[in-house]
Amino acid sequence: MSPARRLALALALAAAPAAGRAQGLGLDLGTPAKKDAKPAPGTPKAAPPAAPAPTAPAAKPMAIDRIDVSGKGAGKERLEAARRLAAENAWESAAAAYDEILRDRAIPEAHDEARYRLAQSLERLGLWYAAFARYEEVLAKGPQGSKYYYNALEGLFSSGRRLANDRQVLAAAARFADEKFPVEYQDRVHVLLARYHYERGRALLEAGQAAEGKRELDAARRLAAAVRPGAASAALSPGEGGAEENLAAEARFVDGTALYALGEKGAALEAFKEVIRLTNPRKTRQSEPRLRELAFLQLARIHYEYKQNRYAIWYFGKMPWGEKRWLEGLWESSWAHYRIGDYEKSLGNLLTLHSPFFVDEYFPESYVLKAVIYFENCRYPEARAILEDFTGRYEPVYRELGRLTARQVPASTFYEEVEQAGKAGDRDRGSLTRKVMKIALSDKAIERLDASIRQIEKEMDEGIGGRREAFRQTPVAQEALSRLKAQRARLVDEAGARARQKLETERDELKRLLEQALRIKIEVSRKEREALELSLAKGAPVNVLRAYRFSAAVSDEHEFWPYDGESWRDELGTYSYTLTRGCRPGTRLPAP
């Protein structure tokens, strides 16, 4: 049967009179299931489809031989016809058929199955958000109101795995936490619930509700501990998300973050180390590069917090080169190198941050750190030049941030400008507007919202808009499109509100950095004046710098190559500056 024929058949279900629908469909309805049958633990099985009866030419779709369906109800007839479409993988037609059953108030006995099967059909069509919403409709009936309740729970988490922003899934896990999930879903639900309680606990702690926050964090730890060792979720289909999820590693990561929030830093370190072991690509198929990278970052930050700088540098160095958080780790390791006096490596990292490859990245404090290093090594002219470069770059950014946050515009306007900045082409790289708007996307919550909005837009444009006209005009497609538009509008408003808040925070932080740069510039001027006064007192110029200390020795894995101002991608992260080490003794004025 051609796709067009299938969809025409599905739409004809509502048009045909109830008494004659089975005859017009030309289907063997088979034996109906018992009304009081218990729901199966897996997906309920439809009756196996029989071979279709010969159909009439397409020009007369309803001119089909009559079939004796005496004793069968109209709802059962239409459900059986829709099941046949699903059995043939005609999911567009099946979705339209189930939706028409739901809209027919004369057959309420068929609504329960049609509601669940519609969600299934939408999921098979790759309409994840639409399917998620339909599964929620089934679950709203409760376990007593729908025999497909537990099947819908499975479907909810199955479609939820495909959502770019899993906040909806976290909320759903919290709502249905008391339900008995199938064994194959229990570990994933425990991980989701652990994350939900962790985030709730952190929010309560930030709100000053310490006791309630601690209870939530303890609950997160208990749920994480309930995940079985070696637990992993099933892999998604090819092209829909890649490998299996390492649920055991995710649970240990949540446990580590909860321990850190509870102040148990030593135990948190051990939890993150366990994540590293569980995601070792040489020992498991579920290597989870994203989670592994985050674990290295957290280990480095904890050691840095306790001034164990060499350990922090080691863990920063383990972050996968070029991955999403790598640049963030490189920047933070610059501070650890600075703390131990390894100024050459600290400046080398900053050279990577300031390379043309990262012209859109936002690390204003890196210029302040660079100026401080030069200042502490008596390189006063260079320190002054760096500070002037910083103010020249970021004073316009500060003014633009002030202008944007002072406007009284709808919250959605902020998101629209952020979105446009993200879509700007290469010719706009490094532009002020693009730089300012990308600041908002550095916020992880806004980044997740942006990913959700983009996924919803794709579902609207391709998932529905890219299908055949016959399906696009069906009520089920129109309603799904309407819901997606409403959901997008809500997410845009939330992203816009968060973007405004983020820009206001960055405006205030940038003001602080500009003031700090001014204070350093004053100190530079004072030191330059002292050097000049010392020269006048001695009657000859005074060199305040130590002699250069320089070595071309490198590890066996690297080759020494002088930097000539040209950046190569494979060199990023390996730079080391040549710098005088401190000020020459006896170049300070005696105390008055």
Side-chain angles (χ1 to χ4, degrees):
M1 186 185 295
S2 69
R5 171 69 175 154
R6 290 172 182 142
L7 188 56
L9 177 60
L11 296 176
L13 294 176
R21 285 176 186 139
Q23 293 92 328
L25 293 171
L27 303 176
D28 180 4
L29 301 180
T31 304
K34 293 183 179 179
K35 191 171 183 179
D36 58 349
K38 295 182 179 179
T43 302
K45 297 181 179 179
T55 59
K60 298 179 180 180
M62 301 307 296
I64 303 174
D65 293 339
R66 293 178 60 84
I67 299 175
D68 183 9
V69 291
S70 57
K72 296 188 180 286
K76 293 179 180 179
E77 297 172 13
R78 295 174 65 181
L79 281 174
E80 185 63 29
R83 292 191 202 109
R84 296 230 11 178
L85 293 168
E88 296 175 359
N89 293 326
W91 297 110
E92 292 180 2
S93 305
Y98 287 124
D99 180 65
E100 290 295 347
I101 293 171
L102 277 174
R103 293 174 186 276
D104 192 339
R105 297 184 180 181
I107 49 172
E109 71 279 1
H111 287 182
D112 186 33
E113 181 176 346
R115 188 176 293 109
Y116 169 69
R117 299 293 186 187
L118 173 57
Q120 262 192 332
S121 301
L122 293 172
E123 185 177 1
R124 294 298 182 90
L125 289 169
L127 302 176
W128 314 122
Y129 282 91
F132 191 90
R134 293 290 186 170
Y135 281 127
E136 286 190 307
E137 290 180 0
V138 178
L139 295 171
K141 300 293 181 181
Q144 304 303 319
S146 173
K147 72 175 185 177
Y148 296 92
Y149 181 84
Y150 291 102
N151 304 92
L153 273 178
E154 293 185 31
L156 189 77
F157 291 107
S158 173
S159 58
R161 284 185 63 187
R162 273 79 169 191
L163 303 187
N165 186 352
D166 59 4
R167 288 302 177 271
Q168 284 180 267
V169 188
L170 291 180
R175 286 201 306 275
F176 305 113
D178 296 332
E179 299 296 345
K180 185 180 171 96
F181 290 89
V183 174
E184 63 269 23
Y185 279 86
Q186 287 176 1
D187 290 316
R188 177 162 175 76
V189 171
H190 285 145
V191 169
L192 290 170
L193 286 171
R195 286 182 53 199
Y196 173 84
H197 285 285
Y198 164 73
E199 294 187 5
R200 180 173 167 78
R202 283 296 305 273
L204 287 168
L205 289 179
E206 291 172 3
Q209 302 179 43
E212 294 85 347
K214 183 179 182 302
R215 280 197 294 271
E216 291 293 324
L217 293 172
D218 288 337
R221 293 204 61 213
R222 285 195 301 273
L223 287 160
V227 177
R228 295 168 299 171
S233 67
L236 297 176
S237 302
E240 292 181 353
E244 298 177 352
E245 293 175 297
N246 191 329
L247 296 176
E250 288 189 33
R252 289 299 286 151
F253 186 86
V254 175
D255 189 40
T257 55
L259 284 165
Y260 181 85
L262 288 166
E264 300 179 33
K265 309 298 173 61
L269 281 174
E270 294 306 314
F272 292 130
K273 289 177 183 178
E274 182 66 16
V275 173
I276 299 299
R277 288 190 285 269
L278 290 172
T279 56
N280 188 333
R282 291 175 296 182
K283 296 182 178 180
T284 179
R285 291 183 304 166
Q286 302 94 26
S287 57
E288 290 275 13
R290 176 195 62 83
L291 194 64
R292 187 174 175 83
E293 183 183 33
L294 282 172
F296 278 126
L297 183 59
Q298 296 306 321
L299 285 166
R301 284 174 170 172
I302 294 174
H303 283 294
Y304 179 84
E305 180 182 350
Y306 283 89
K307 296 183 171 57
Q308 297 172 334
N309 299 297
R310 296 187 187 278
Y311 283 111
I313 290 168
W314 190 85
Y315 281 115
F316 279 129
K318 288 294 182 180
M319 296 181 67
W321 186 93
E323 291 297 327
K324 187 173 184 179
R325 302 277 186 143
W326 173 74
L327 202 63
E328 190 176 345
L330 194 72
W331 155 236
E332 293 183 22
S333 70
S334 301
W335 278 106
H337 283 289
Y338 165 75
R339 277 181 170 182
I340 64 174
D342 188 359
Y343 302 129
E344 289 86 351
K345 186 57 182 173
S346 182
L347 289 173
N349 287 355
L350 298 182
L351 186 62
T352 293
L353 257 68
H354 300 159
S355 72
F357 294 102
F358 307 117
V359 67
D360 284 332
E361 299 300 331
Y362 186 73
F363 293 99
E365 196 174 359
S366 62
Y367 289 89
V368 176
L369 174 60
K370 188 176 182 180
V372 167
I373 292 174
Y374 275 95
F375 172 77
E376 291 187 358
N377 286 274
C378 290
R379 301 281 289 271
Y380 303 131
E382 291 96 329
R384 179 183 295 279
I386 293 165
L387 292 169
E388 289 175 353
D389 183 25
F390 169 69
T391 55
R393 287 173 183 270
Y394 286 98
E395 277 187 347
V397 175
Y398 173 69
R399 289 194 296 269
E400 182 68 5
L401 284 169
R403 184 188 70 81
L404 289 170
T405 54
R407 293 179 306 163
Q408 299 300 318
V409 296
S412 58
T413 301
F414 275 89
Y415 173 75
E416 290 169 1
E417 294 183 356
V418 168
E419 186 181 34
Q420 289 302 315
K423 292 179 179 178
D426 288 341
R427 63 182 178 83
D428 296 314
R429 292 183 74 238
S431 68
L432 178 62
T433 301
R434 181 179 171 106
K435 185 183 290 289
V436 169
M437 286 302 149
K438 286 198 72 175
I439 294 172
L441 285 178
S442 64
D443 183 273
K444 304 308 175 190
I446 298 174
E447 185 180 23
R448 287 193 297 265
L449 288 168
D450 180 65
S452 293
I453 293 167
R454 291 176 184 274
Q455 189 179 31
I456 287 174
E457 289 173 344
K458 182 177 181 181
E459 195 162 306
M460 292 165 59
D461 297 338
E462 299 178 17
I464 295 176
R467 296 191 177 277
R468 292 173 296 128
E469 177 69 18
F471 177 72
R472 295 201 305 269
Q473 296 305 318
T474 59
V476 65
Q478 291 294 308
E479 184 174 350
L481 192 61
S482 176
R483 290 184 179 190
L484 289 171
K485 287 179 179 177
Q487 188 170 7
R488 181 190 180 279
R490 289 193 299 271
L491 292 176
V492 165
D493 285 340
E494 183 181 352
R498 287 182 178 271
R500 173 186 284 278
Q501 186 179 25
K502 174 65 174 177
L503 294 182
E504 289 174 349
T505 301
E506 292 299 333
R507 176 200 63 197
D508 297 341
E509 177 63 17
L510 190 52
K511 180 182 179 182
R512 184 189 67 80
L513 289 175
L514 288 167
E515 292 171 348
Q516 185 178 0
L518 180 60
R519 288 194 296 271
I520 297 172
K521 193 180 293 186
I522 293 171
E523 284 298 308
V524 168
S525 298
R526 186 173 67 82
K527 291 295 184 182
E528 288 178 324
R529 186 195 68 198
E530 286 182 359
L532 181 58
E533 289 175 352
L534 185 61
S535 297
L536 292 173
K538 291 190 174 184
V542 174
N543 184 7
V544 298
L545 300 177
R546 287 180 183 268
Y548 278 92
R549 295 193 336 184
F550 174 77
S551 172
V554 294
S555 68
D556 293 339
E557 298 177 355
H558 297 90
E559 179 180 354
F560 175 78
W561 196 266
Y563 178 70
D564 59 2
E566 186 176 10
S567 298
W568 294 82
R569 186 172 292 276
D570 60 350
E571 295 174 347
L572 298 176
T574 65
Y575 297 119
S576 183
Y577 241 77
T578 302
L579 183 72
T580 53
R581 299 298 298 271
C583 305
R584 186 185 296 275
T587 59
R588 297 182 183 276
L589 286 171

